[in-house]
């Protein structure tokens, strides 16, 4: 009897496009977005992955089927795939997809909030842990995050921490995160509070203002010294449009 | 007799601000801009470093004096310095500044076109080689660039290649560069052809359009697979303003 391939709940496969944020900002990449999340952040830009609104669109795909779709869309023009969610760390079966991509000489970036560990974290080429600040309405489980960070450091993984910032309380949270894990590359990202806006022309001045505000907050702060401050570049170009 | 400290021709010291481009985009950093260049790119955004217009502003500073100025401006809130020009690679005496910064636990990024070698290249934490495409009006000396890339690879340096893109000829040049050095991280950067514009509000739509154009060119291209595509983020926020 053949071993049945473990299926992955997928909501979007798109690209090639540029990664719009974080440690691989600008990188040419394909995206795979998985369904399901253990969080429900107030400002989540992909709430359809967990709020039930796109339940009918979830496709249960094997790693092989996902790679076929990536090739159909990206042809021979990519060698990098970003897995996002939802929270992909809910899916132990992702290890097979990551290994299969590596077998095709494709690198893999992945983002998760750092609420669950998976052994395949060690295989991800660029792993982003994005603990959620107070404005999200979520609570961080520090002992879980401590454990994940310790395992990644022990495994010499290439990873970073990233926190989205909307306000002063978020900045204080980010400072706490950075001081708790001072040797992990740290990214502060200006939050997008205009998720309903459909006109990029109207969004752009708002997003630039938020980014400039965040720069102004971080630059004089001696506790936030070894950091990156970035916007979500894709929203500057495409607003809230999906699939780009 | 005391050994006289070798002085460095400096035109700007500013920050802390964010690095707006390339491999350390978003990084909180201070800037030191040196005077003098062996090139005269048609679209240079810092032509005052070589066209004589700011000759009277050049200050001949020691490494110690530069670090004093950096501390005066950035206080205790930085640990990263970017050295730019002009072409800083014209200055053998920069090695002393880089070593002195390292002694203070400050990392150093540096950008140069790759027309000259200096042994201190090996000491730079993030070195960007930015060979100039046809639109610049400059000609690349490939044997010099080959030699620099080989030395950096042999020295296990952390470095990247970056090319500014204005048009199709620049894209062909960039493809040539990337295929010549396929294992060096490669960044394509949308060019700014509006250096005289003083209103950020007018520049922004132009810059977004140029970035989107570049993304559109690179995404389907199978020869530009393992690449980053980035704008100059600082121009999106501050336009052509200097010192930010």
């Amino acid at each position: 009897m053949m071993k049945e391939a473990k299926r992955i709940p997928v909501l979007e496969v798109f690209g090639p496009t540029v990664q719009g944020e974080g440690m691989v900002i600008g990188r040419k990449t394909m995206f795979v977005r998985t369904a399901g999340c253990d969080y429900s952040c107030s400002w989540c830009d992909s709430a359809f992955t967990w709020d039930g609104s796109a339940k009918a669109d979830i496709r249960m795909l094997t790693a092989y089927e996902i790679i076929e779709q990536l090739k159909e869309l990206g042809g021979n023009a990519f060698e990098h795939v970003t897995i996002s969610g939802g929270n992909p760390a809910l899916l132990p079966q992702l290890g097979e997809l990551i290994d299969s991509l590596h077998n095709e000489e494709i690198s893999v970036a992945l983002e998760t909030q750092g609420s669950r560990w998976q052994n395949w974290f060690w295989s991800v080429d660029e792993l982003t842990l994005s603990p959620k600040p107070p404005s999200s309405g979520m609570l961080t489980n520090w002992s879980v995050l401590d454990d994940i960070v310790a395992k990644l450091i022990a495994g010499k993984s290439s990873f970073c921490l990233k926190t989205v910032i909307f306000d002063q309380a978020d900045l204080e949270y980010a400072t706490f995160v950075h001081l708790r894990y001072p040797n992990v590359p740290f990214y502060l990202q200006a939050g997008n509070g205009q998720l309903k806006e459909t006109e990029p022309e109207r969004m752009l001045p708002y997003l630039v203002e938020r980014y400039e505000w965040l720069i102004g907050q971080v630059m004089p702060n001696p506790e936030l010294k070894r950091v990156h401050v970035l916007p979500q570049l894709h929203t500057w170009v495409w607003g809230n449009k999906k699939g780009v």
Side-chain angles (χ1 to χ4, degrees), chain A:
Chain A
M1 197 174 128
M2 258 178 68
K3 194 186 157 201
E4 204 192 346
K6 290 168 202 148
R7 291 178 179 269
I8 298 162
V10 172
L11 262 173
E12 288 185 305
V13 178
F14 63 94
T17 186
V18 285
Q19 168 58 256
E21 52 186 72
M23 71 191 287
V24 275
I25 191 167
R27 180 76 176 256
K28 183 178 183 174
T29 191
M30 302 291 296
F31 278 88
V32 175
R33 189 182 299 285
T34 61
C37 197
D38 47 332
Y39 276 21
S40 54
C41 298
S42 63
W43 36 251
C44 179
D45 60 3
S46 305
F48 63 97
T49 60
W50 51 263
D51 67 5
S53 62
K55 212 176 167 184
D57 303 327
I58 298 171
R59 292 172 301 151
M60 299 302 296
L61 303 178
T62 63
Y64 177 83
E65 287 168 340
I66 292 171
I67 293 176
E68 286 300 294
Q69 290 217 3
L70 288 167
K71 286 182 180 169
E72 218 169 280
L73 282 165
N76 187 32
F78 73 96
E79 58 74 72
H80 190 270
V81 169
T82 303
I83 302 173
S84 189
N87 183 7
L90 300 182
L91 307 168
Q93 67 270 38
L94 272 186
E96 195 193 333
L97 174 61
I98 295 163
D99 291 346
S100 303
L101 288 166
H102 284 162
N103 287 341
E104 310 242 353
E105 294 185 12
I106 295 167
S107 316
V108 179
L110 188 139
E111 178 168 334
T112 176
Q113 53 263 52
S115 58
R116 304 274 181 100
W117 169 260
Q118 296 288 349
N119 282 336
W120 50 251
F121 279 13
W122 283 313
S123 308
V124 174
D125 300 284
E126 296 113 2
L127 181 72
T128 298
L129 302 177
S130 185
K132 304 304 176 188
S135 64
S136 70
M138 300 296 111
L139 288 174
T140 303
N141 184 326
W142 296 103
S143 71
V144 171
L145 190 58
D146 285 352
D147 180 58
I148 292 174
V149 169
K151 280 176 168 156
L152 291 171
I153 290 173
K156 297 187 196 301
S157 280
S158 167
F159 76 109
C160 78
L161 284 155
K162 186 182 74 174
T163 301
V164 175
I165 309 293
F166 284 85
D167 55 30
Q168 288 297 337
D170 290 355
L171 266 169
E172 277 165 38
Y173 175 91
T175 307
F176 181 84
V177 171
H178 181 50
L179 298 179
R180 193 173 182 100
Y181 313 110
N183 296 319
V184 181
F186 189 62
Y187 290 75
L188 296 111
Q189 179 174 302
N192 173 10
Q194 300 285 339
L195 295 172
K196 308 268 182 213
E197 180 60 69
T198 53
E199 291 304 313
E201 295 74 24
R202 277 201 294 267
M203 275 199 79
L204 200 46
Y206 163 79
L207 294 169
V208 172
E209 186 277 321
R210 293 317 296 161
Y211 182 47
E212 207 175 348
W213 170 80
L214 185 55
I215 293 170
Q217 294 294 315
V218 174
M219 290 307 113
N221 187 336
E223 289 186 313
L224 294 170
K225 214 183 301 209
R226 194 170 157 234
V227 300
H228 289 71
V229 184
L230 283 171
Q232 288 181 300
L233 212 42
H234 53 287
T235 62
W236 289 31
V237 179
W238 296 296
N240 290 314
K241 204 173 153 194
K242 295 284 161 219
V244 280

